[in-house]
Amino acid sequence: MSYRPADSLRAVTLDDVRGAQKMLSGVARMTAMEGSRHLSQLVGAPVHFKCENLQRTGSFKLRGAYVRISGLLPEERAAGVVAASAGNHAQGVALASSLLGVRSTVFMPQGAPLPKISATREYGAEVRLHGQVVDETLAAAQEYALETGAVFIHPFDHPDVIAGQGTVGLEILEQCPEVRTIVVGVGGGGLAAGIAVAVKALRPDVRIVGVQAAGAAAYPPSLAAGRPVSIRNPATMADGIKVGRPGDVPFALVGDLVDEVRTVTEDELSTALLLCLERAKLVVEPAGASPVAALLSRPESFDGPVVAVLSGGNVDPVLMERVLRHGMAAQGRYLAVRLRLKDRPGALATLLGVLSVVDANVLDVGHVRTDPRLGLTEAEVELHLETKGPTHCAEVGRALRESGYTVIG
């Protein structure tokens, strides 16, 4: 059987989270709590990072997966488990299954990053690539569960998973007992629900703020409707919280216990990721950086001390490069311009001389001389520049126009 419906709908309590914490002893690390001077100055109160990006497998997902698989009946363990994921849940299920001696099969999208596929295999799972999007992968995993009797391990919609994730909340209270606000990314809602169960039972005065990517924000309309609703075509770089519908079990807990769910933009996510890397020296994936994005967007709205949960650090290097450039552009530290100039000897050198005077560092140059859009004596140049902020970007543009160049993009 793939799951027990009655069990999946039971409530999650503080005792469940405490039991999960005992179960995870020696399995999951108590991850570090690191202070952020920059964010503390913006908020006007201490801000700390709860570094689940440094957890085993690179995210909090091991906690819930291990607790869920530990609770299986002997005959269920013998049938093995199956999961569907683009990365973090896959690795959590793979390692948890290996530690517990349970056979695991993980379905991943065909376009999943190679480092995540390799890591999942190395943790002991059989990886099957199916579908172009996670919904197709999820359907394949559920079909496999029905055909084989393997237990489907849901990434967030089960009480045992939520209890496991809730151990993050117990650690926060132990490491930062004076905490007044906890900020956590929200996808399906398992992590936020688990933290809320643990923290609100012990410290009901602590404010819990959930954060979603604006392009994949299913919770605001669901909370307004009073039931989980689906959004069409969720789109965000933060694949860890790219979920089109809240889970039934976490939705009820989030609705009762989480004080607010707010959204952040793609620009804010990329800027937050860049800050984590530059200021905190921490590699964080976009979903893990979502609490930082919320703090950066409205720092005055948080009462401190604040704990921001960095939920994961499994970011594909190719995506990291794109996100960092996006973050630099959002901060005015990266500028791409296209312009026209006369196609004659020395014209490009003259242009680069103008940029040198205003201290813009040229990263890349694209030079087009043959194009139907261009006149016989024209050339088009695309420049990628390293700049020093919005004011410097404006200075560069002004210098180019004053030198007679036509900037077209």
Side-chain angles (χ1 to χ4, degrees):
M1 72 186 125
S2 59
Y3 63 92
R4 298 190 295 275
D7 183 59
S8 67
L9 295 177
R10 65 179 170 80
V12 184
T13 67
L14 175 62
D15 286 342
D16 293 326
V17 180
R18 283 176 164 160
Q21 187 175 48
K22 292 179 181 177
M23 196 177 298
L24 289 167
S25 178
V27 175
R29 300 176 180 137
M30 176 182 280
T31 51
M33 186 85 76
E34 298 287 345
S36 171
R37 179 180 299 177
H38 178 70
L39 286 175
S40 296
Q41 290 175 341
L42 291 178
V43 172
V47 174
H48 307 280
F49 294 148
K50 175 60 173 167
C51 299
E52 283 296 288
N53 59 311
L54 304 180
Q55 184 57 262
R56 296 178 70 180
T57 75
S59 87
F60 70 96
K61 289 289 190 177
L62 171 66
R63 298 173 184 262
Y66 188 90
V67 173
R68 172 76 174 102
I69 297 169
S70 293
L72 296 179
L73 301 173
E75 59 269 27
E76 291 175 319
R77 291 195 185 200
V81 300
V82 61
S85 168
N88 289 349
H89 182 57
Q91 294 173 65
V93 168
L95 178 56
S97 299
S98 294
L99 293 172
L100 291 164
V102 176
R103 185 179 71 258
S104 63
T105 302
V106 176
F107 284 76
M108 303 182 75
Q110 292 178 357
L114 290 177
K116 294 184 178 182
I117 295 173
S118 298
T120 303
R121 285 184 173 135
E122 289 173 7
Y123 286 129
E126 177 189 347
V127 175
R128 299 193 179 192
L129 302 179
H130 183 91
Q132 299 298 322
V133 295
V134 174
D135 286 345
E136 295 173 354
T137 308
L138 182 64
Q142 291 172 324
E143 183 178 351
Y144 177 90
L146 291 173
E147 291 175 352
T148 66
V151 180
F152 178 67
I153 306 299
H154 200 285
F156 51 81
D157 205 10
H158 194 280
D160 290 345
V161 172
I162 293 170
Q165 322 304 28
T167 59
V168 175
L170 294 180
E171 291 180 13
I172 289 173
L173 293 182
E174 180 178 344
Q175 294 169 298
C176 185
E178 68 278 14
V179 62
R180 295 184 63 187
T181 306
I182 296 173
V183 193
V184 56
V186 179
L191 178 61
I195 289 175
V197 166
V199 172
K200 290 292 189 178
L202 296 169
R203 286 280 309 281
D205 60 302
V206 173
R207 183 172 178 78
I208 299 178
V209 178
V211 184
Q212 291 207 288
Y219 262 90
S222 296
L223 292 170
R227 57 180 175 78
V229 298
S230 299
I231 59 171
R232 295 183 62 185
N233 303 320
T236 175
M237 70 177 77
D239 58 352
I241 53 175
K242 185 180 175 181
V243 178
R245 182 188 184 278
D248 293 328
V249 181
F251 175 77
L253 296 168
V254 169
D256 289 342
L257 301 173
V258 173
D259 297 282
E260 179 187 359
V261 177
R262 56 177 71 177
T263 62
V264 293
T265 67
E266 298 298 285
D267 280 353
E268 288 165 345
L269 284 168
S270 56
T271 298
L273 188 148
L274 184 61
L275 181 141
C276 289
L277 186 62
E278 287 191 326
R279 297 297 184 95
K281 316 307 177 190
L282 292 169
V283 175
V284 182
E285 62 191 86
S290 59
V292 179
L295 287 165
L296 288 172
S297 65
R298 292 173 53 196
E300 75 288 346
S301 66
F302 295 91
D303 293 328
V306 178
V307 173
V309 181
L310 307 183
S311 58
N314 291 319
V315 57
D316 178 45
V318 175
L319 176 62
M320 172 69 89
E321 181 182 8
R322 289 167 49 203
V323 171
L324 289 180
R325 286 204 170 192
H326 193 84
M328 290 176 69
Q331 290 187 338
R333 295 168 54 191
Y334 179 84
L335 179 64
V337 295
R338 286 189 303 122
L339 47 85
R340 300 274 173 88
L341 70 165
K342 295 296 182 181
D343 186 14
R344 61 190 179 201
L348 183 58
T350 301
L351 169 61
L352 296 179
V354 173
L355 295 172
S356 176
V357 170
V358 291
D359 202 23
N361 186 33
V362 179
L363 301 175
D364 191 27
V365 178
H367 193 195
V368 177
R369 301 177 65 190
T370 304
D371 191 288
R373 297 170 302 164
L374 300 174
L376 291 175
T377 62
E378 287 184 320
E380 185 174 291
V381 174
E382 182 172 348
L383 299 163
H384 294 186
L385 308 173
E386 183 180 8
T387 47
K388 302 174 182 179
T391 301
H392 190 213
C393 287
E395 181 184 351
V396 171
R398 185 167 55 252
L400 289 172
R401 288 189 293 272
E402 289 176 353
S403 297
Y405 295 102
T406 302
V407 179
I408 58 176

